[in-house]
């Protein structure tokens, strides 16, 4: 009887500690999200001010100024995307710790299913609002590109300047490639943690995990590209020059 009471008290204390830690992490995340929102609006406001006054009668700004403003706003969005992926993946990795604690103490019904850290694919590796912000930043970037092309067409006498068009397309391609590399980097962190903390038990006993469940993406093309990236990173880590 005493053992049952002690186990119940231990379980209650553990639940309280997990709840407090979750609240602390959530409050910290909210502060980070507010900072990201402020930074995003600051970047867009600066670009919007230049866009509004570019080519007007007062001639405050020229096309070159608008180009630098667009590049600056895009760079800020790229940096914030990196921060979101890094922070969101770190929170996802913390869920492995709480999962192991709950599994050891047989606490399976307290947390919702979405708190299960296993079998996440693609951008779902980035937990919570951080993953949504990466999508928002991409849409904001597309808005910047569309508005820049509109002003470019207007300032060039209603025709396109191919030099600026090529620059826009190259810049957008570079942005997307870097975001994809950031995602691959964090997916690799997640996959390594899954290998270190394999999920072997469920309510019915031993759980059989298929290769499809362990695949990092739902798309076979993305899995192939990620596989190449993972191989390159693995070879780089094994390089003696890097180890030294």
């Amino acid at each position: 009887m005493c053992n049952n009471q002690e186990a119940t008290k231990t379980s209650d204390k553990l639940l309280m500690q997990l709840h407090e830690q979750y609240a602390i992490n959530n409050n910290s995340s909210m502060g980070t999200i507010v900072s990201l929102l402020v930074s995003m609006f600051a970047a867009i406001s600066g670009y919007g001010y230049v866009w509004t006054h570019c080519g007007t009668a007062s001639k405050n700004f020229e096309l070159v100024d608008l180009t630098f403003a667009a590049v600056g706003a895009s760079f800020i969005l790229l940096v914030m995307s990196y921060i979101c992926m890094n922070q969101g993946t770190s929170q996802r990795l913390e869920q492995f710790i709480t999962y192991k604690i709950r599994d050891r103490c047989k606490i399976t019904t307290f947390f919702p299913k979405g708190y299960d850290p296993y079998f996440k694919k693609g951008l779902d590796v980035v937990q919570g609002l951080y993953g949504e912000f990466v999508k928002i930043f991409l849409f904001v970037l597309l808005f910047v590109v569309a508005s820049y092309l509109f002003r470019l067409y207007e300032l060039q006498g209603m025709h396109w300047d191919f030099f600026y068009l090529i620059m826009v397309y190259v810049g957008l391609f570079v942005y997307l490639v870097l975001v994809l590399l950031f995602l691959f980097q964090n997916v690799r962190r997640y996959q390594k943690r899954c290998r270190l903390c394999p999920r072997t038990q469920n309510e019915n006993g031993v759980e059989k995990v298929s290769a499809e469940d362990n695949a990092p993406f739902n798309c076979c093309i993305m899995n192939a590209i990620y596989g190449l990236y993972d191989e390159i990173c693995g070879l780089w880590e094994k390089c003696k020059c890097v180890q030294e």
Side-chain angles (χ1 to χ4, degrees):
M1 185 70 179
C2 293
N3 292 334
N4 291 335
Q5 291 180 349
E6 291 178 359
T8 303
K9 290 181 180 179
T10 301
S11 177
D12 291 339
K13 289 181 180 179
L14 178 60
L15 289 175
M16 182 62 68
Q17 291 174 359
L18 288 174
H19 178 74
E20 291 176 352
Q21 187 61 47
Y22 180 81
I24 293 172
N25 293 341
N26 187 60
N27 291 334
S28 176
S29 299
M30 290 303 298
T32 304
I33 288 171
V34 171
S35 300
L36 289 170
L37 281 174
V38 172
S39 300
M40 182 184 71
F41 283 118
I44 298 304
S45 298
Y47 167 76
Y49 179 82
V50 177
W51 187 91
T52 303
H53 294 84
C54 182
T56 59
S58 58
K59 297 291 183 180
N60 290 334
F61 299 103
E62 301 293 339
L63 182 57
V64 176
D65 302 317
L66 181 63
T67 302
F68 278 111
V71 171
S74 301
F75 179 76
I76 293 175
L77 293 173
L78 181 65
V79 172
M80 290 193 297
S81 295
Y82 175 80
I83 294 174
C84 284
M85 289 189 189
N86 189 275
Q87 292 294 322
T89 305
S90 296
Q91 285 196 358
R92 180 69 71 193
L93 298 183
E94 290 177 0
Q95 291 180 350
F96 284 93
I97 301 174
T98 56
Y99 179 87
K100 289 297 183 182
I101 296 174
R102 289 185 286 119
D103 184 63
R104 178 70 62 86
C105 297
K106 307 302 180 183
I107 302 173
T108 59
T109 60
F110 183 76
F111 287 90
K113 184 178 180 180
Y115 205 75
D116 190 335
Y118 292 93
F119 310 133
K120 304 301 180 183
K121 297 180 181 293
L123 199 55
D124 289 337
V125 169
V126 184
Q127 194 220 354
L129 286 176
Y130 286 110
E132 300 302 319
F133 265 105
V134 175
K135 300 176 185 178
I136 292 174
F137 294 154
L138 180 58
F139 282 114
V140 173
L141 174 73
L142 295 177
F143 169 77
V144 171
V145 171
S147 61
Y148 177 82
L149 289 174
F150 173 80
R151 183 65 80 188
L152 174 65
Y153 182 75
E154 186 180 39
L155 294 177
Q156 293 294 322
M158 301 302 176
H159 71 275
W160 297 111
D161 188 316
F162 286 102
F163 171 78
Y164 282 98
L165 282 179
I166 293 174
M167 183 180 64
V168 170
Y169 291 141
V170 170
L172 183 60
F173 176 77
V174 170
Y175 182 94
L176 295 177
V177 168
L178 289 176
V179 169
L180 192 61
L181 288 176
F182 296 158
L183 179 59
F184 282 175
Q185 178 187 14
N186 288 285
V187 168
R188 192 167 187 267
R189 291 172 59 197
Y190 172 79
Q191 291 287 320
K192 290 174 69 175
R193 181 60 62 87
C194 287
R195 289 193 292 268
L196 290 174
C197 303
R199 182 175 182 176
T200 56
Q201 299 290 328
N202 62 5
E203 296 177 356
N204 300 322
V206 178
E207 182 175 20
K208 295 182 179 180
V209 180
S210 64
E212 184 178 353
D213 290 330
N214 282 329
F217 296 92
N218 290 320
C219 175
C220 57
I221 298 177
M222 289 293 294
N223 286 327
I225 298 174
Y226 172 78
L228 178 61
Y229 169 84
D230 189 35
E231 287 293 332
I232 294 174
C233 290
L235 292 174
W236 177 256
E237 291 177 352
K238 294 177 182 178
C239 179
K240 294 183 179 180
C241 298
V242 177
Q243 293 177 359
E244 290 176 358

